[in-house]
Structures are given as structure tokens and as C-alpha cells.
């Protein structure tokens, strides 16, 4: 255990986390140049393209240190978005230290600070790293000053590096060995291992990623998940080198994997504690929380023939995403589909993108919703996350919506605009703290529905990226709710219906009508878009018709050319959904959630 | 579709002959032609051989159309030679429509008389405009007065079926000057008028000028205004607006040959770059005079490419071609060819289109209204 170090890298987006991870991997020689694919930890295409790590991942780096000893350095990668903050906290709980990466040109940024707070919460050793020192715009003195004043860390403890150029890598590895404490724990104790991630392997089933805190786990053991008491027989344990590498056992302090015939990742809960059935530990490890979806939307295939494909793809996708849930649903306008639950809008985006990219499906998403609670006149309480199931207004005694407590960290200069934004979003009970010179911690209680309606993008834009945002669901609060429908040429498009606060209905209706006007291409006839509560029209916009599109000439030689052109247009039209007589593009369904202020 | 044979309203095929020579190229024209006139004799020899190639595939024609290029660059004797060969290998219906496109600058009373004497009974005169500034902009060799003179000569030579081509939506033009050109045309009482909106095809000089920002096209709104004003003016003058760009003084004065393109009637295209269509097959010749002549001299078909159309492709063509014409789509024939009832199939959208006055149903035809004709390409994508 003396020779193990468990650490993570935390950074603001684009400060070079993945590049540094790559260099550490290369330096320790886990893989050679030939099989090295840049930014190995971000293994999915989407992650590479968006530059964010969606799912955590881990790798064990063997390192022969200057003290002459051999070490195993376990690098645990963390996702970087608010939707996945719980996963981040579980990954950090598996570490004893972090590398806090700061860009030499950009200095300390919002996420740097937010991540630092997370690390401090877990009592981790923090090694500040100034990256990108090769940049001409690097200003190391200023960054050192910020590390001192804004982060409250000892600037003398920093290491300068250029992950891109490979400068300072060895120094970092030495610091990990010297400064990050070895894991504590006792291999003789009953097993207590923290699950920080899981992924699905089509040959082996679920691969559990865990950090062993106490005891030993080996193949043949009967393990127990403390959350629900289910038991499995361990088939294999091992370390993550470039690929999974089988070991006899995992002992206290180790980071590695367990394969135990678990069918899907949904059977595993991140943050749960694994122990042995015949010798269980007395208490689960602290911090477990069941992650529940908070945003709901329906997914429909654009072509109804693709329904079965969609069903198969969701089943496959679900194998690897425990936080995603779905069930059958149907829409008058869009036909058969599925109602799905997500951790947040980014999660929803990712699911949509992966279904389209990896499973080659063209899908439409309905307007996302939170889960409302209604008490009916007969005292029955129902939860509604689908506007299609909105109860008869005459039967409703009380409507309630979920509230969150938003925790924001931002430079003082943005305080005014952020407070304005929060109040616009029906935020209440603000708490403000100065955490350092010019830096404010701001907290509001807000309806979750307002947060999914374009809050995060606007927050980022008003703080110019310097603000960090995190939230917890706190409770349900009474609210005046109405069902707002959208009609396209007089036909109700149920997938565009939203449950909204009465006071917001008109502005949301106008916004939806305007966004749809921008998204729906002009057609041969005029299109009226209306927002309605029951039979009352509260908003309206009109898309005028185009009057001429026909080509002047069409003789012998033109016909094939013309047909090919129309075939192309027709293929493009397949990406749209015909509702009544109007072709509505996929983008329109999500656009109604965006406000036009950005 | 049974036997892959498309059922068409008329069994008589059309013959198109492409004469790929021009003394100068017009900036907007994308039809294939070359400026050197030297290969004309060899071309005519090759063409006569090509006529024979298809004598087993096609039996008879009731339209012949000399297009170009500039067919009026050929001497009447040369045209006569070609027609004689055609007559030798195919049955040409005695009531055939035999058309030649002529350039007003190249013709004379004698020339027209000679054309008339060899059996050509329809002229299509490339007037384009009665405004010299616009003619110059378009790169035409002739003047407005040449156009007026050729019209007069053609009448005097005995032509009773004359069509003229006009272009609108051109720089230096406005609605008013266009309407003046239209009025001049109406006063000449041609049997047929084609009014084309200027469209810029890639690889044409005007297109390059446009790309470089040298010229502007009218806005979509203005284009629509030109279209509807043109239709209204010509219809008030007694012309039938029977296809997007075509107007005829009487039902029987519609271009019989061009109608074949819009009705999927078979046609044979001879000469470089000419397209042919038969049943579910379309093929076209190489766009090069030299290889055309060379291939034929080696007894090879000078075909560049051919395509076999799937029923779905034919169906799409039926829609976009039929909706260009005032006659519209023959619903019975459609059902026979594609085994589906168009009105049932697309009921909801067709109802909306009817409600919005874009199409109407008359007898067994689904036809575009005038408003619908202007958006025929979109109508076809229902």
C-alpha cells in the first residue's frame, strides 16, 4: 500500500487535462507511441470532439521513482459537467490527492475554483500545476499570485509544465509519489470498496470500477452491494493498464475492476459500497446517493418504420448508462416512442447524439420537462413528467414543482447580472458569501423547470465562462401551473406541449412561437403557430409562404439533373417530421427551450 | 409497374436533333456548343449514321426538333439531307410538328422560304428581348430590329406556327420594361411564347460574374412578381399558360415536342449531348463534337451515360414534370403505372394544398393552380 498513489486531475475546461493525462501515460510507458491514440482517457468520439470527459475512467501507471522504488499511480479521470457532479464526487472520494491544473495564460478560472472546493471537501492533497508555460502569452507570475490569493494555496508548491511539449512531466510524477499520501486502510479488515464507475462490455457484462478502502477482493468471492443487498460471484479482478489486466486480488488502497456476472450497469449504483457476503463491513462508505433523473423527454423515430430499431438501440444504450431510464410512450403527432429520464440537459444531448451517431437513428425529442406533483381533489397525489398526462384542470387541488438550491461561484463583477438572471428565473432566498477578494459564492432556491429552460447557457454567457454552477434538488413547492399547447396550422403538436408557471405562460408561449418561426422553413403555404392554454390563444406567430421555387427550364437534358436535385431535397425532408401538412425540422423541438436572448 | 413499361398518353415518340455550333456563346446558356464551324460537314455525316443506329428501337415520330446550339447556322440543304435520312429510316407522321430554333441575326426571307420548302413547319425564334441593352448584356449577336424583321420574314415565308423565346429577371430590366417587351411580343401575334426567368447554370460566364458579385438577380419576391405578371398579361392577351415557362395561343398550338418531355413520352435525342428516353431508361450522348464523330466513325454509340430509372424515380419525375403543366397529373395513368392512388396516398397534404389554392382536381387530373405552378418543385416533394 505504501507504493500506491491514487490521484485525479482537475482543471477548468481546455486547461489541458487530457493532454497532461496523455503525457503521464506515455512517460510511464504503459503504451508505446504506436498504439497511442491521443487523449486516451476520453475514449468516446463525442468526448473527444466536445473536449469534455463524460464518463469517468481510470488507468494504473507503473512508475519507477527517483527513490529507487516502484510505484503504482492510479489516475482516476473525472467528468466535467454539472449533470455529472455526483460522479465527480465519487471519483474524488477514491483519491488521496489531485493535480490542480491552471493554464499559464488564462490563470485561475471558475471551474478551477469549483473543482478546488470539491477537492478540499474530500481533504485531498493538492498539487498546483501551471500548464502551457510554452505559450507566448503565458504569465506565470500573475498565475502564481492568483494561486495564492484566489485559491489560497501555497504558490511555492507549484510545478510548471507544458503537457503539449512534455516539459515537467517527470517532476509531476515525483511530486505525486512524494506529496500525495499513500492510501490508508487495512487488508485484514472486512472488504469495503467504493464503486466510482461502471461500464458495459459485450463479452463480460458489467465492469465495475472501484477503489478498495478496506480488505481484499479476489475471484471466487461472493460480493454484496450494500445498497440493495444483491450478491454476485466474482469472476475476475484486475487493474486498468491500457487494457484490463487480470490480478489475483485487489487489496485495500487499490484501484481496479471487478467482473462478477452483473448483467447491466443499471444493476450497479455509483457510490455504492461492495463488501463480502460472508464477512460484511459494518457500515457502507459515506456519501452514497441514488442518482435520479430529473429531466424527462420523449424520443420518437422520425420515420415510424424505425421504431423497432429505436427500441433495440435504447436497450443497447441503456447497458452502458445507468442513469438513463426509459419506457414506452406514444404521441398523437409523432406516433410510437419512448419517455426517457435524464440527469440534465447535457445528459439528454449526449444520449441524443449517441443514438444518432452510434446507432444511426434519426430521432425527435419532445420538449423536456421536470416531474411535477399534483394533488387532486380526491386527495390522490400524482407525479407528472409528461405534459400528455397533465390532469384535467378541474380536478387539480394543488400543483407543485421541484425546487433546487443552486450554488454558484463567480467573480464579483458579474454579481449584478447573475442576480438579475436568477430573479428572472424565479429564484428566491439568496445567500451570498465573499470567498476571497472579488469572488462571490451565491446561492438561490429556484424551480428546476427554470434551470432546464436555458439557464445554464445564459449563466455561462453572462459570466463569460467564469462562473461555476452546481445544484441539488431540495423539495417540491406549490406553484400555479398550466398546460401550454402549441398548435401548428391549427393542429396541436403534443410533443411541443409544456407545463409552465401561469405567470410565465405568455412569455414562454411567445418565445416558443418565435423560435418555431425561426426553425420551421418557409413552405408553400402560410403557417400559423399558436400557443394556447386550453382554448385560449396566448401567443401567435406566422411563417409566410414562399411564392416561387420552380426552375424555368425543364427539357430532355434537364430532367435527370432536376430529379437528382429533388431526390436530395427529399432525403433532407426525411429528417423533418410531417405534422399535418407542415414539415417540422428536428431542431425545432429543442429550440423552444432556448430563449432568444442569447 | 408491369414489365417496367411506362404507360404514356401517346405512343408516338419525338425526335430531337442537337446542332452543337454557335458563332458566339451567350453568357447564360448552358447548352453544349462549340464556336468552330469547321467540323459541320463531318458532324452531318456522323449524325446521319447515328440516325440509323436506332431504327430498330424507334419506329416512328410525330415531332422533330432541331435545337442547339444554333441550328440556323446550317444551310437548308444540310437540314434537308438530315431530314431525308430521318425519313428513310423512320415513319414520320404526315401531321408531324417539325421545329427549328433560329437566331434572328442569321436569317432572311429566302432562308425561311427554304426551311418551309423542306418541310419544317414550326419556328422557334430566339428573340430573348426587344431591348438592345439587355440583348447586349445577354451576349446575343442580334438586335431588337433583327428580331422584328425575322418575325416578318417568317410570316412572309409562310410559317403559320411561330414561337418566340423571351428572358426576364435580367439586370437592366424592371417590371415595366419587361411588360413593354411582352407587349411588343403580343403585338407580333406569335402562336407560342416561352418566357424564361434567367437562371444561372454553373460553368456559364454569367454564373461566374454572378459569383464574383458582378451582377444581381431579382429577389425571390420580385421573381414571383415577374412570374405572375407575365402569366396575367399573356392570359389576358388570349394565351394559355400551359407550362411554367410556356404559353400557346390555342390548345393545338402547344409545343407538341416539348410536351413529350413533361409526359414521359419516349424521345430520341441525336447529336452531341442529346438526351433520349424510352420506357424506364434515359441515356445521353457525349458533350464533345470530336469524340461524337470519332465514336460513330468506329460504329460505336457516342453515349456518355445511361440510367435505369426505378419506379420511385419515375414516380418523382411524374410528379415534378406533371405539376409544371396546366394539364397536371393524369391520376388514372398514375395509378396504373405506380399501383397507388395519389389522392389517397397523400390525402392530408393534398387537402391542405387544395385549401391553400395550390392545386385542384379536375376530372381525373390533379393540376396546379397558377399559384401552385410557381412552386411546382415543392409541390413535387409532397
Amino acid at each position: 500500500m505504501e507504493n500506491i498513489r491514487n490521484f485525479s486531475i482537475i482543471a477548468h475546461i481546455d486547461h489541458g487535462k487530457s493532454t497532461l493525462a496523455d503525457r503521464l501515460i506515455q512517460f510511464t510507458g504503459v503504451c508505446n507511441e504506436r498504439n497511442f491514440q491521443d487523449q486516451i482517457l476520453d475514449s468516446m468520439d463525442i468526448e473527444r470532439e466536445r473536449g469534455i470527459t463524460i464518463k469517468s475512467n481510470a488507468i494504473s501507471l507503473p512508475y519507477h521513482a527517483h527513490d529507487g522504488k516502484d510505484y503504482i499511480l492510479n489516475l482516476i479521470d473525472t467528468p466535467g459537467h454539472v449533470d455529472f457532479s455526483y460522479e465527480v464526487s465519487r471519483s474524488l472520494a477514491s483519491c488521496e490527492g489531485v493535480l490542480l491544473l491552471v493554464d499559464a495564460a488564462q490563470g485561475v478560472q471558475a471551474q478551477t475554483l469549483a473543482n478546488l472546493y470539491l477537492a478540499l471537501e474530500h481533504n485531498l492533497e493538492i498539487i498546483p500545476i501551471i500548464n502551457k508555460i510554452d505559450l507566448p502569452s503565458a504569465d506565470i507570475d500573475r498565475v502564481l499570485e492568483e494561486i495564492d490569493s484566489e485559491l489560497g494555496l501555497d504558490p511555492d508548491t507549484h510545478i510548471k509544465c507544458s503537457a503539449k511539449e512534455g516539459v515537467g512531466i517527470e517532476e509531476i510524477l515525483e511530486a505525486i509519489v512524494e506529496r500525495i499520501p499513500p492510501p490508508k486502510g487495512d487488508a485484514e479488515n472486512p472488504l469495503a470498496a467504493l464503486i466510482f464507475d461502471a461500464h458495459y462490455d459485450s463479452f463480460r457484462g458489467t465492469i465495475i470500477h472501484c477503489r478498495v478502502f478496506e480488505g481484499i477482493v479476489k475471484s471466487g468471492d461472493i460480493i454484496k452491494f450494500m445498497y440493495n443487498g444483491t450478491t454476485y460471484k466474482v469472476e475476475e479482478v484486475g487493474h486498468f493498464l491500457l487494457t484490463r489486466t487480470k490480478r489475483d486480488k485487489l487489496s485495500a488502497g487499490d484501484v481496479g475492476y471487478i467482473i462478477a456476472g452483473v448483467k447491466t450497469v443499471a444493476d450497479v449504483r455509483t457510490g455504492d459500497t461492495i463488501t463480502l457476503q460472508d464477512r460484511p463491513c459494518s457500515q457502507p462508505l459515506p456519501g452514497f446517493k441514488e442518482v435520479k433523473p430529473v429531466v424527462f423527454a420523449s424520443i420518437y423515430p422520425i420515420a415510424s418504420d424505425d421504431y423497432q430499431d429505436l427500441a433495440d438501440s435504447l436497450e443497447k444504450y441503456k447497458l452502458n448508462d445507468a442513469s438513463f431510464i426509459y419506457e414506452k410512450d406514444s404521441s398523437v403527432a409523432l406516433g410510437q416512442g419512448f419517455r426517457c429520464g435524464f440527469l440534465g440537459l447535457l445528459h439528454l444531448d449526449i444520449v441524443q447524439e449517441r443514438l444518432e451517431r452510434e446507432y444511426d437513428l434519426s430521432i425527435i425529442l419532445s420538449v423536456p420537462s421536470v416531474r411535477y406533483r399534483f394533488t387532486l381533489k380526491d386527495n390522490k397525489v400524482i407525479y407528472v413528467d409528461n405534459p400528455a398526462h397533465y390532469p384535467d384542470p378541474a380536478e387539480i387541488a394543488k400543483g407543485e414543482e421541484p425546487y433546487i438550491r443552486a450554488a454558484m461561484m463567480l467573480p464579483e463583477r458579474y454579481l449584478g447580472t447573475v442576480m438579475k438572471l436568477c430573479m428572472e428565473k424565479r429564484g428566491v432566498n439568496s445567500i451570498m458569501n465573499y470567498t476571497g477578494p472579488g469572488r462571490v459564492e451565491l446561492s438561490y432556491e429556484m424551480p428546476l423547470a427554470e434551470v432546464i429552460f436555458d439557464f445554464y447557457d445564459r449563466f455561462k454567457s453572462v459570466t463569460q465562462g467564469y462562473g461555476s454552477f452546481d445544484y441539488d434538488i431540495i423539495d417540491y413547492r406549490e406553484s400555479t401551473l398550466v398546460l401550454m399547447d402549441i398548435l401548428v396550422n391549427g393542429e396541436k403538436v403534443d410533443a411541443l406541449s409544456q407545463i409552465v408557471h401561469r405567470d410565465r405562460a405568455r412569455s414562454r408561449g411567445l418565445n416558443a412561437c418565435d423560435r418555431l418561426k425561426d426553425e420551421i422553413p418557409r413552405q408553400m403555404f402560410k403557417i400559423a403557430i399558436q400557443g394556447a392554454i386550453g382554448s385560449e390563444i396566448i401567443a401567435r406567430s406566422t411563417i409566410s409562404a414562399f411564392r416561387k421555387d420552380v426552375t424555368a427550364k425543364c427539357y430532355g437534358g434537364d430532367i435527370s439533373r432536376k430529379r437528382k436535385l429533388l431526390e436530395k431535397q427529399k432525403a433532407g425532408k426525411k429528417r423533418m417530421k410531417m405534422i399535418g401538412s407542415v414539415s417540422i425540422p428536428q431542431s425545432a423541438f429543442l429550440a423552444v427551450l432556448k430563449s432568444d436572448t442569447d | 409497374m408491369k414489365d417496367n413499361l411506362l404507360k404514356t398518353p401517346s405512343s408516338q415518340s419525338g425526335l430531337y436533333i442537337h446542332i452543337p455550333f454557335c458563332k458566339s456563346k451567350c453568357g447564360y446558356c448552358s447548352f453544349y456548343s462549340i464556336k468552330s464551324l469547321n467540323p459541320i460537314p463531318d458532324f452531318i455525316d456522323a449524325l446521319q449514321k447515328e440516325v440509323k443506329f436506332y431504327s430498330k428501337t424507334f419506329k416512328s415520330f410525330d415531332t422533330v426538333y432541331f435545337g442547339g446550339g444554333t441550328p440556323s447556322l446550317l444551310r437548308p440543304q444540310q437540314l434537308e439531307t438530315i431530314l431525308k435520312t430521318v425519313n428513310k429510316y423512320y415513319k414520320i407522321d404526315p401531321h408531324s410538328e417539325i421545329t427549328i430554333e433560329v437566331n434572328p441575326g442569321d436569317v432572311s426571307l429566302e432562308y425561311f422560304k427554304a426551311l418551309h420548302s423542306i418541310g419544317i413547319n414550326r419556328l422557334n425564334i430566339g428573340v430573348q428581348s426587344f431591348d438592345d441593352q439587355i440583348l447586349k448584356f445577354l451576349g446575343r449577336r442580334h438586335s431588337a430590329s433583327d428580331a422584328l424583321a425575322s418575325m416578318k420574314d417568317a410570316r412572309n415565308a409562310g410559317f403559320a406556327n411561330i414561337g418566340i423565346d423571351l428572358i426576364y429577371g435580367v439586370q437592366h430590366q424592371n417590371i415595366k420594361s419587361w411588360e413593354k417587351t411582352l407587349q411588343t411580343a403580343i403585338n407580333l401575334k406569335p402562336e407560342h411564347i416561352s418566357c424564361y426567368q434567367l437562371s444561372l447554370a454553373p460553368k456559364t460566364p454569367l454564373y461566374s460574374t454572378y459569383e464574383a458579385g458582378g451582377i444581381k438577380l431579382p429577389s425571390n419576391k420580385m421573381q414571383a412578381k415577374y412570374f405572375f405578371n407575365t402569366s396575367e398579361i399573356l392570359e389576358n392577351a388570349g394565351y394559355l399558360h400551359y407550362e411554367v415557362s410556356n404559353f400557346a395561343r390555342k390548345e393545338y398550338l402547344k409545343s407538341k415536342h416539348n410536351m413529350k418531355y413533361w409526359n414521359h413520352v419516349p424521345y430520341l435525342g441525336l447529336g452531341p449531348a442529346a438526351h433520349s428516353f424510352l420506357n424506364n431508361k434515359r441515356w445521353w450522348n457525349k458533350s464533345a463534337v470530336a469524340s461524337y464523330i470519332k465514336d460513330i466513325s468506329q460504329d460505336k454509340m457516342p453515349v456518355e451515360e445511361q440510367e435505369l430509372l426505378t419506379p420511385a424515380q419515375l414516380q418523382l419525375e411524374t410528379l415534378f414534370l406533371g405539376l409544371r403543366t396546366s394539364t397536371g397529373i393524369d391520376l388514372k395513368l398514375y395509378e396504373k403505372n405506380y399501383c397507388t392512388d395519389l389522392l389517397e396516398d397523400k390525402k392530408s397534404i393534398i387537402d391542405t394544398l387544395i385549401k391553400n389554392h395550390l392545386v385542384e382536381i379536375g376530372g381525373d387530373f390533379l393540376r396546379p393552380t397558377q399559384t401552385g405552378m410557381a412552386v411546382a418543385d415543392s409541390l413535387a416533394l409532397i
Side-chain angles (χ1 to χ4, degrees), chain B residues 238-307:
Chain B
Y239 287 86
L240 305 169
H241 188 178
Y242 75 98
E243 194 262 356
V244 173
S245 306
N246 288 289
F247 299 82
R249 224 164 61 192
K250 288 279 180 304
E251 190 67 30
Y252 70 90
L253 292 171
K254 291 176 177 177
S255 165
K256 263 190 223 152
H257 182 80
N258 288 339
M259 295 281 281
K260 296 187 193 299
Y261 297 132
W262 305 319
N263 287 323
H264 269 154
V265 176
Y267 48 87
L268 173 63
L270 302 176
H275 283 62
S276 305
F277 176 74
L278 180 65
N279 297 328
N280 62 338
K281 189 163 132 183
R282 191 174 284 121
W283 68 96
W284 50 95
N285 283 346
K286 291 177 182 169
S287 295
V289 174
S291 25
Y292 172 81
I293 293 173
K294 191 173 158 223
D295 280 359
I296 292 179
S297 73
Q298 295 167 353
D299 282 325
K300 261 179 24 198
M301 297 264 198
V303 172
E304 165 93 45
E305 215 181 307
Q306 72 160 31
E307 57 179 16

Side-chain angles (χ1 to χ4, degrees), chain A residues 548-549 552 555 560 562 581, chain B residues 196-197 245 307 317 352 377-378:
Chain A
K548 186 166 185 290
D549 75 339
Y555 300 108
S560 291
K562 176 92 215 156
S581 317
Chain B
Y196 298 109
Q197 180 192 311
S245 306
E307 57 179 16
E317 290 193 358
T352 308
D377 288 355
S378 291

Side-chain angles (χ1 to χ4, degrees), chain A residues 417-436:
Chain A
T417 44
V418 170
M419 287 175 76
K420 193 167 156 250
L421 173 65
C422 291
M423 284 189 296
E424 189 194 312
K425 296 290 185 184
R426 295 192 278 141
V428 290
N429 298 338
S430 64
I431 301 172
M432 196 169 70
N433 274 318
Y434 281 85
T435 57

